[in-house]
Each structure stands twice: as structure tokens, then as C-alpha cells.
Amino acid sequence: MSVAFSNLGLAIGSAVEGLFIINELGLGAAGFGLYAALGGLSGLAGALLAPRLAEKFTPRELALPTIAGQIVLSGVVLAAGFAAPPLAIILLVVHAAGWGVLILVFNVSMATWVAEITPEQLLGRVTSARRLFTFGVVPLGGLLGGGIGAVFGIRAALGAWVLANVLGLVCYLSLAMAGRRAQDPSVDEEVPEP
């Protein structure tokens, strides 16, 4: 569920992000190209970092920080929508530099976690169902982001991106607590350890 909401949010944001950078911030196509290039470099850094983090931490330990990090970084883009141009550019650089790393670590850890907890005889079915939900929301998110942007404005769509990430965190915490209660019914309502 967290991956589905992450993808939904990213699709919502992607539908308006380019328009925000090019038109509203006035950075033009070259500015957006630099932003996208920095994001691509961040993804490469994430590809190098993810295996190292996977050796040091379990997927469960990486889940909460990477989900929370998506809220922060999508919030940085939303904040850029309300900031003066010099600060807005700095916020976008922070987002582009961090997002690729964060998303790669998140996706690798979540895929690893699913593979670890799924019985081998069900892995194919679980993986295909997971892909249906996690990739199936992308077209919906694009339409939703474009619709929200057209009706309520780009900042509202950027806010919906943050909200989708918050919903991903809520799902993670709810399911983690339910899982702990199923394993040990005496567990009270405390937040699961990261």
C-alpha cells in the first residue's frame, strides 16, 4: 500500500511539476532540463547506495525513514510553490538531489521485504498483484494531478502529492501495528520500531 501511494503521489506531482518549474517559476525548458538531469544523477547515486544500505539495514528498518523522507521531499516541492524564486530554486535542487536516492532505496527495500515475507509458492502471484496495484495507480495519478492542477491550481496538485505520501505512511503504520498485534495480541497501540 505504501508503494502504491508513493507511486500515486509521484504521478500526481509529475503531472504538474514541469509546468510549475517552466511556467510558474519561469525557469524555462533549460531550467527544467537541469532539474531533470540532477534528478537522474540522484537516481544513479541511489543505485550505488541502495545495495550498501541493504547490507547494513533490514528492509523493515529502511521502510519508515524512506516513507517519511518522501513526505519531506514532496513537501519541499510544495514549499517551493510558496517561496520567492531564489529560495524556490534551492528547494528544487534539494528535492532533485534527494529524491532519486530516496526512491531507489525505498523501492529496493520494499521489493526485498515482499520477497522475504512471501512464501515461495505464492511469490509469483503476490509480485504480479503488487505490480498491478503499484503501477496501476500511475495513470490514475497522472489524470488526478492534471485534473487537480487544471481545476484548483498547480499548488493544490503539489499538495495532493504530499497527501498521497502521508497516506502511504498511515497505511504502513496501520499495517505494521496490525501485524504486530497479530503476532502478539498483548502489544499496545505504540508505533512500530523503524
Side-chain angles (χ1 to χ4, degrees), residues 1-157:
M1 292 302 297
S2 292
V3 176
F5 276 112
S6 171
N7 286 351
L8 177 69
L10 182 56
I12 291 170
S14 294
V16 296
E17 194 174 32
L19 295 171
F20 170 64
I21 292 168
I22 294 168
N23 296 336
E24 295 210 8
L25 292 181
L27 298 178
F32 183 72
L34 289 171
Y35 172 78
L38 181 56
L41 291 173
S42 174
L44 291 174
L48 295 172
L49 185 61
R52 291 187 174 110
L53 288 174
E55 290 174 3
K56 292 184 179 192
F57 302 100
T58 67
R60 181 182 208 127
E61 293 170 330
L62 291 171
L64 190 56
T66 56
I67 295 168
Q70 290 175 63
I71 296 169
V72 170
L73 288 177
S74 59
V76 164
V77 179
L78 178 60
F82 296 97
L87 178 57
I89 292 168
I90 292 168
L91 291 171
L92 288 175
V93 167
V94 168
H95 174 266
W99 188 263
V101 172
L102 185 73
I103 281 298
L104 257 141
V105 172
F106 172 71
N107 285 330
V108 167
S109 63
M110 293 300 99
T112 302
W113 198 359
V114 168
E116 287 176 359
I117 64 174
T118 304
E120 190 175 335
Q121 67 273 19
L122 297 176
L123 190 56
R125 284 179 252 167
V126 168
T127 300
S128 64
R130 180 177 179 269
R131 288 182 184 265
L132 172 68
F133 291 111
T134 60
F135 291 124
V137 298
V138 172
L140 175 64
L143 289 170
L144 191 58
I148 292 170
V151 174
F152 300 105
I154 288 176
R155 286 165 185 80

